[in-house]
Amino acid sequence: GKFFGTRNMLCGAAGIITVLIFGNLMDALKSNWGHSALVFAVPFGSAVVFGLLSSYFLNRIKDVPAAFFCGGGFFQELSAPFKDANFRKFLLFALSWNFSVYLAAPFLSLYFLRDLQYSYGFVALLATTAALVDMFAMRFWGVVSDRIKNKAIIQTAGWGVVFLPALWAFVRPQDVFVPVAIQLLSGGFWAAVVLCSGNLLLRICPQQGREWFISAYSISAGLGAAIAPVIGGVVLSFLGPQEPEEGTRIMPLHVLFIASAAFRMLSLLLFRFV
């Protein structure tokens, strides 16, 4: 826990610096170039450059010897994670949890920029706020997770994550402190869930054939994250105009945010059986 907490803290620090620099840079470019594609070409191009730079350091890391099959052949190894009753429950949680998260997450930036009319700089500030709290919380939860069971931490902090998307339905364009407060809560709760989910994955995987179990987990989590935005987009298209109807403040995106909270609650209830 302490190791991964420190690692994630350093990653968060890099993210904070990046978001602050490019969030304000995009506002400056937008004022000169308008809504040109060049505004986005600068951060995207920079991402490619730094991605190539990171591959240089990756190549300098010494790897451990490759693991071999522990017996039974390829298909037995492939099916091993699905034969483990407890791990199947964990896979179901990963699928449903990521589905609930990505039902709303891809649309938050759209909500910030279009409906709340925030600037790129303010969106960057919100991201930085969550990342700052996440950075210090990672270190804290890393130490705590070495003393307390990861499942207990996920069950406790997870309830904070459950209600986060629904809170955005109450934010108005003129609000400043409310969105910052939501991001403060987000950073603290998400740090616990992300760190301890990874720790729990390593804890319940057997030593032999562990790579197959981790792969199965990644597939389940990725499948939920892939399906959710597509379904969310279809739902939004059926809900009609994106502007709130006269006499109400409810928008289609609000419905999606509340649905995300409901599915997160269901996922957390499933997690009790792991």
Side-chain angles (χ1 to χ4, degrees):
K2 185 178 180 181
F3 170 80
F4 283 106
T6 303
R7 170 194 176 275
N8 293 350
M9 183 181 70
L10 294 173
C11 291
I16 290 170
I17 295 170
T18 305
V19 168
L20 281 175
I21 291 174
F22 285 97
N24 288 284
L25 178 61
M26 288 180 68
D27 272 335
L29 294 175
K30 181 183 174 183
S31 64
N32 293 319
W33 298 344
H35 291 282
S36 169
L38 290 174
V39 173
F40 294 94
V42 173
F44 290 170
S46 300
V48 173
V49 172
F50 281 97
L52 293 172
L53 180 63
S54 69
S55 68
Y56 166 77
F57 291 105
L58 179 63
N59 288 331
R60 296 173 62 87
I61 299 173
K62 293 182 180 180
D63 202 354
V64 297
F68 295 97
F69 295 137
C70 58
F74 174 80
F75 289 104
Q76 185 170 337
E77 294 283 343
L78 184 65
S79 61
F82 305 98
K83 293 179 179 178
D84 186 316
N86 186 51
F87 199 77
R88 284 201 306 268
K89 297 172 186 175
F90 195 48
L91 292 179
L92 180 60
F93 163 71
L95 175 68
S96 60
W97 180 258
N98 270 33
F99 176 86
S100 67
V101 170
Y102 285 90
L103 192 62
F107 302 99
L108 276 174
S109 294
L110 173 67
Y111 184 61
F112 293 160
L113 296 170
R114 186 193 65 189
D115 299 322
L116 297 181
Q117 299 178 350
Y118 291 157
S119 66
Y120 291 123
F122 189 68
V123 173
L125 175 64
L126 291 178
T128 303
T129 302
L132 256 177
V133 178
D134 182 277
M135 183 177 70
F136 292 106
M138 276 289 179
R139 178 73 176 179
F140 168 77
W141 290 117
V143 174
V144 172
S145 67
D146 285 332
R147 294 170 170 80
I148 302 175
K149 287 184 177 294
N150 289 286
K151 180 179 177 179
I153 295 175
I154 295 173
Q155 285 179 308
T156 304
W159 283 107
V161 175
V162 163
F163 297 104
L164 286 175
L167 293 178
W168 287 110
F170 299 96
V171 178
R172 297 293 170 256
Q174 65 272 17
D175 292 339
V176 175
F177 296 108
V178 175
V180 171
I182 294 175
Q183 290 297 83
L184 289 172
L185 294 173
S186 178
F189 289 134
W190 267 116
V193 173
V194 170
L195 176 67
C196 293
S197 294
N199 289 348
L200 186 62
L201 171 63
L202 295 177
R203 289 287 180 95
I204 65 178
C205 287
Q207 285 291 100
Q208 289 186 317
R210 172 178 284 183
E211 62 275 9
W212 295 99
F213 283 76
I214 295 176
S215 295
Y217 174 84
S218 298
I219 290 171
S220 298
L223 186 61
I227 295 173
V230 178
I231 294 178
V234 172
V235 169
L236 286 176
S237 67
F238 276 107
L239 288 177
Q242 300 302 305
E243 295 295 329
E245 296 182 7
E246 189 175 351
T248 180
R249 292 181 174 180
I250 299 297
M251 294 187 295
L253 277 175
H254 293 160
V255 176
L256 209 60
F257 294 162
I258 294 170
S260 175
F263 279 111
R264 293 183 193 197
M265 186 182 300
L266 175 62
S267 302
L268 208 56
L269 293 175
L270 290 174
F271 181 69
R272 295 174 57 192
F273 299 101
V274 177

